[in-house]
Amino acid sequence: MTTLPQIPDEELLRLDRMICFSLHAASRAFDSVYRVALRELGLTYPQYLAMLVLWEHGELPVKRIGEYLRLDSGTLSPLLKRLEAAGHVRRERSPEDERSVVVRLTPAGVALREKALEVPRRILAATGVEPTDIAELRQLLDRVTAALDAAARVV
């Protein structure tokens, strides 16, 4: 555990000291760039994330996709329905467990992967940050996320 420096009371509630706000602002800025980059694919950012999971892992139960994306089924189900309506995925009840819905890519969903290859390049270029710095930032954010997850379980 790291020892935290003492922060004066007058600094504690300053917006420019809040990591959560910096992350929020960066997330909103990413959303704007992704909106433009994903327009030609006909995907929203959450749909793109679901497609990334399926391109990487193949056929998966909805529950597992939700675990990867940190989304509950109430948020994920409508998103997957829209991807199915667009012809990118197919949802079917699992023959092994009728309670489980499995999602698989359609041929159109598989083909969309080729078009999506340019998106990460565009986003990386838009950040103006070196790939090595991005990798370090990701590692740090993964550590922060793990620590916050652990803290949430304690509370």
Side-chain angles (χ1 to χ4, degrees):
M1 181 70 124
T2 352
T3 306
L4 298 176
Q6 283 296 79
I7 300 171
D9 286 350
E10 62 274 4
E11 294 289 314
L12 283 174
L13 298 178
R14 287 181 50 116
L15 185 62
D16 63 354
R17 299 279 296 190
M18 300 291 125
I19 186 173
C20 56
F21 182 73
S22 295
L23 290 169
H24 173 73
S27 178
R28 290 184 53 88
F30 269 113
D31 287 346
S32 296
V33 176
Y34 268 106
R35 192 174 302 111
V36 173
L38 295 173
R39 188 176 299 137
E40 25 189 273
L41 299 179
L43 297 174
T44 63
Y45 181 68
Q47 290 170 342
Y48 173 69
L49 295 179
M51 294 299 289
L52 287 174
V53 169
L54 292 166
W55 288 327
E56 184 176 348
H57 299 283
E59 176 181 312
L60 288 172
V62 170
K63 182 177 181 177
R64 190 72 181 119
I65 296 170
E67 290 168 358
Y68 278 117
L69 298 178
R70 300 176 69 108
L71 293 174
D72 62 49
S73 63
T75 303
L76 190 55
S77 290
L79 181 156
L80 293 171
K81 282 182 184 178
R82 287 190 296 276
L83 284 173
E84 186 173 39
H88 300 306
V89 302
R90 190 170 45 253
R91 297 175 306 138
E92 298 172 350
R93 293 257 171 227
S94 168
E96 294 85 34
D97 180 0
E98 284 290 317
R99 296 169 297 173
S100 179
V101 174
V102 176
V103 181
R104 67 177 47 94
L105 293 165
T106 63
V110 171
L112 189 61
R113 183 181 181 279
E114 277 303 309
K115 294 179 186 174
L117 286 171
E118 192 57 31
V119 173
R121 291 181 181 102
R122 289 176 67 181
I123 300 304
L124 183 59
T127 67
V129 178
E130 292 297 320
T132 53
D133 292 335
I134 294 286
E136 288 178 29
L137 177 59
R138 266 194 71 264
Q139 289 176 348
L140 180 57
L141 289 173
D142 288 346
R143 287 192 357 236
V144 168
T145 301
L148 291 172
D149 285 346
R153 285 191 293 274
V154 172
V155 174

